[in-house]
Amino acid sequence: MVLNNVMVVALQVPLTRFGTTTAAARNLLLPLSATFALGGLAMALAATGGAVTATALLTAAAAAFTMAEMLQATISWELSVALAPETAQGTYLGVHGLAQSVQRTFGPLAVTAAIATGPAGWAAFGTVIALTCTIQHRLVRVCLTPTSLSVPPVTVSEN
């Protein structure tokens, strides 16, 4: 808990500069994916060693998941606003808020399942979240790719 608080106070604001544009936020999805995977792997490996090894790996996992939390906050806010059409930004932000509620509802269940399953559960936990970040990276790329038109756009009034 102390490590999490110190990291958030020291790093949250400085990290936001890496996600100031939609493209930059998209580019952070791959490091975020790796951070989640490393956090899950560190948790899984913590069960395999002695007390000193477990302490070091649990500390590394806590740092990785805290870093992931901060990166995710930066990315999600930028993408939720930037990818919304101007006429639907309120709706997109509402869905963003709904996603946070779903996370708060099912997150504890997912962590409990990872704990109950043991090292394999933590490895799966990190892998699944890492894969979703990678998929999101691909989906956002599609949204950012400008559509090339072979003919100029025509409005309804011109027909």
Side-chain angles (χ1 to χ4, degrees):
M1 188 69 121
V2 172
L3 176 63
N4 178 282
N5 287 327
V6 168
M7 286 181 68
V8 169
V9 167
L11 299 174
Q12 181 70 57
V13 172
L15 282 175
T16 60
R17 74 172 186 257
F18 295 110
T20 56
T21 66
T22 307
R26 177 189 173 264
N27 289 336
L28 281 177
L29 284 165
L30 294 179
L32 175 62
S33 177
T35 305
F36 273 122
L38 288 172
L41 181 62
M43 287 294 287
L45 291 175
T48 63
V52 173
T53 302
T55 301
L57 287 167
L58 289 173
T59 302
F65 285 132
T66 299
M67 182 64 74
E69 175 188 3
M70 291 184 291
L71 289 173
Q72 186 274 334
T74 297
I75 294 164
S76 69
W77 278 108
E78 173 61 30
L79 295 181
S80 67
V81 173
L83 296 179
E86 279 188 37
T87 58
Q89 285 186 340
T91 303
Y92 275 58
L93 287 175
V95 171
H96 181 264
L98 179 63
Q100 290 177 347
S101 296
V102 169
Q103 178 186 358
R104 286 186 190 111
T105 301
F106 293 106
L109 296 173
V111 170
T112 300
I115 291 168
T117 310
W122 281 110
F125 180 82
T127 301
V128 167
I129 297 174
L131 285 173
T132 60
C133 294
T134 304
I135 291 167
Q136 185 179 10
H137 181 263
R138 175 108 176 134
L139 291 174
V140 171
R141 181 181 62 98
V142 171
C143 293
L144 292 178
T145 305
T147 307
S148 64
L149 299 173
S150 58
V151 294
V154 178
T155 62
V156 175
S157 63
E158 293 177 313
N159 286 330

